[in-house]
Amino acid sequence: FPDPALLSHRHLDKGNRSNEQTMDIPASTLDRGEIETTVREAIGATLGKSTFLHAKVDGWIAKVMETCLKRLAQSAKQYKYVVTCQIMQNAGAGACVTSTNSR
């Protein structure tokens, strides 16, 4: 997990980008250890010692994401959470992953 001194929260007023406001939230208000534990427990409870089965991947991803979001929402912190999950078979091949944030 990244450990920035401040996280930036952006609010777009009715989709009008010219009214973009930024509010700095001290990173200390987020408990990194609690989030990491939540994610690890969700993955462990879902996958356990399962063998990779392509037919089950979509279900596993849905369950991991749902569990993480429920537990984060129960933490009573007033944030919006975004959870992403990717499950790949460890077959010795490399992986190339890219992401963009288009506004």
Side-chain angles (χ1 to χ4, degrees), residues 11 14 19 23 35 42 44-45 53 57-58 60 64 67 73 81 91 98 101 103:
H11 169 65
K14 296 181 183 178
N19 292 334
M23 176 178 64
I35 293 170
L53 293 171
V57 171
D58 289 340
W60 290 336
V64 167
T67 303
Y81 298 98
T98 186
N101 181 6
R103 295 186 207 173

Side-chain angles (χ1 to χ4, degrees), residues 10-55:
R10 294 186 177 169
H11 169 65
L12 298 178
D13 183 22
K14 296 181 183 178
N16 186 348
R17 296 176 197 279
S18 63
N19 292 334
E20 188 172 321
Q21 300 170 355
T22 300
M23 176 178 64
D24 290 327
I25 302 170
S28 61
T29 62
L30 294 174
D31 185 350
R32 178 181 173 176
E34 178 183 342
I35 293 170
E36 189 170 330
T37 299
T38 296
V39 171
R40 288 184 186 279
E41 287 175 355
I43 293 169
T46 302
L47 297 179
K49 298 281 183 180
S50 298
T51 302
F52 184 87
L53 293 171
H54 189 270

Side-chain angles (χ1 to χ4, degrees), residues 41-93:
E41 287 175 355
I43 293 169
T46 302
L47 297 179
K49 298 281 183 180
S50 298
T51 302
F52 184 87
L53 293 171
H54 189 270
K56 292 188 175 186
V57 171
D58 289 340
W60 290 336
I61 289 173
K63 188 171 181 183
V64 167
M65 291 175 50
E66 181 180 334
T67 303
C68 288
L69 285 172
K70 281 183 180 177
R71 290 185 186 172
L72 291 169
Q74 290 172 350
S75 72
K77 301 230 187 323
Q78 297 297 317
Y79 297 112
K80 290 183 180 179
Y81 298 98
V82 176
V83 176
T84 60
C85 180
Q86 180 179 1
I87 297 176
M88 295 175 51
Q89 183 176 14
N90 185 357

